[in-house]
Amino acid sequence: MIRRVGEAGIPVIGYNFSLAGVSSRVKTTDTRGNAVALAMDGPNDAPVPSGMVWNMVYNPAAPAGVQPPCTPDQLWERLAVFLNTLLPVAEEAGVILAAHPDDPPLPVLRQTPRLVYQPHLYDKLIGINPRPNNQLELCLGTVAEMTEGDVYETVERYAELNRIGYIHFRNVRGKVPRYTETFVDEGDIDMFRVLRILKKHHFQGVLIPDHTPQMSCAAPWHTGMAFAMGWMRAAMKAVNT
């Protein structure tokens, strides 16, 4: 798959190394105009069923029960095997592997350990293998949800190190275990400040709006995404003038 992506001229693959995956979200209207958005309202301790990972069933014939226990050290060891095996292939193919932080960023979710749930743990991931194509899918919303660190310092550090594969340009209000995703211009993050940091370090990657609140119309998701894209384009023009 990595070789084919490289042959197609696609420069980055984003991935999330997690057992529980993106989990524990709820819907809310605690947003501007009561738009429907995603949120988290407390931790989820329900175990992951046997034969399932990342909310997907990979073994329908699995016996009844739950995923066997796994320690954080074991998960980091498995990530090391993953990276050390695939990064040389990706480098040869001209492809960056970009790691998404755990969302929601909790040390444990659904009784399984998590990897990057605080900003400094990005350093641990990069330290596994220093190849330049070992990079980050920097999700601003997830970093802002973290209980430690500073989103602007995090962007500054990894932009300066040239370790950002691409960015999920998402805003939130609050931190785990209780937060609400917001419109791009109304959350806790000063998105103009983020853009100025990226410009300062000559970031050349992609900004993706990620998921957004939905509008009240015939195409709720598409319209919410169009608003985010339009706001981002205008903000980038403003920063560049």
Side-chain angles (χ1 to χ4, degrees):
M1 288 173 63
I2 291 171
R3 291 188 181 103
R4 288 174 178 172
V5 164
E7 289 169 1
I10 299 170
V12 185
I13 294 177
Y15 71 93
N16 188 315
F17 202 90
S18 168
L19 295 170
V22 177
S23 180
S24 308
R25 286 176 176 159
V26 297
K27 288 186 177 180
T28 183
T29 55
D30 184 24
T31 57
R32 186 171 65 222
N34 301 123
V36 176
L38 295 174
M40 185 180 189
D41 187 21
N44 181 357
D45 297 325
V48 178
S50 179
M52 179 180 286
V53 68
W54 237 90
N55 302 314
M56 295 177 284
V57 176
Y58 69 88
N59 182 8
V66 299
Q67 281 280 1
C70 171
T71 68
D73 286 344
Q74 287 174 322
L75 199 58
W76 279 103
E77 289 166 5
R78 294 170 189 176
L79 176 64
V81 172
F82 173 85
L83 289 174
N84 291 331
T85 302
L86 296 185
L87 281 169
V89 177
E91 187 173 68
E92 184 179 346
V95 174
I96 290 167
L97 298 186
H100 196 294
D102 287 299
D103 187 14
L106 293 165
V108 177
L109 187 70
R110 302 193 69 181
Q111 301 183 25
T112 65
R114 310 285 269 176
L115 291 173
V116 180
Y117 57 88
Q118 301 291 8
H120 70 272
L121 292 169
Y122 273 135
D123 283 349
K124 186 173 181 178
L125 186 146
I126 293 169
I128 289 173
N129 191 312
R131 290 176 186 267
N133 61 328
N134 182 16
Q135 296 194 20
L136 315 174
E137 180 184 340
L138 189 61
C139 179
L140 298 176
T142 305
V143 174
E145 294 159 14
M146 295 176 180
T147 57
E148 298 176 7
D150 178 275
V151 65
Y152 311 109
E153 291 176 2
T154 301
V155 174
E156 183 94 47
R157 172 170 175 75
Y158 295 109
E160 185 175 13
L161 292 173
N162 195 27
R163 287 288 179 172
I164 302 176
Y166 63 101
I167 289 178
H168 274 167
F169 206 78
R170 172 167 62 90
N171 214 334
V172 299
R173 185 174 63 249
K175 293 182 177 291
V176 290
R178 289 178 173 82
Y179 64 83
T180 299
E181 298 185 6
T182 68
F183 286 104
V184 67
D185 61 329
E186 68 163 340
D188 293 339
I189 308 172
D190 181 345
M191 302 305 245
F192 278 101
R193 184 175 174 184
V194 170
L195 288 174
R196 287 192 290 268
I197 293 170
L198 294 173
K199 180 183 178 182
K200 171 185 170 184
H201 293 288
H202 309 288
F203 176 70
Q204 297 297 310
V206 176
L207 300 166
I208 298 176
D210 206 11
H211 25 90
T212 72
Q214 300 180 18
M215 301 288 197
S216 299
C217 61
W221 182 89
H222 296 85
T223 310
M225 189 64 68
F227 171 80
M229 292 285 285
W231 191 94
M232 289 168 61
R233 182 63 177 162
M236 290 170 68
K237 281 191 172 184
V239 167
N240 285 319
T241 56

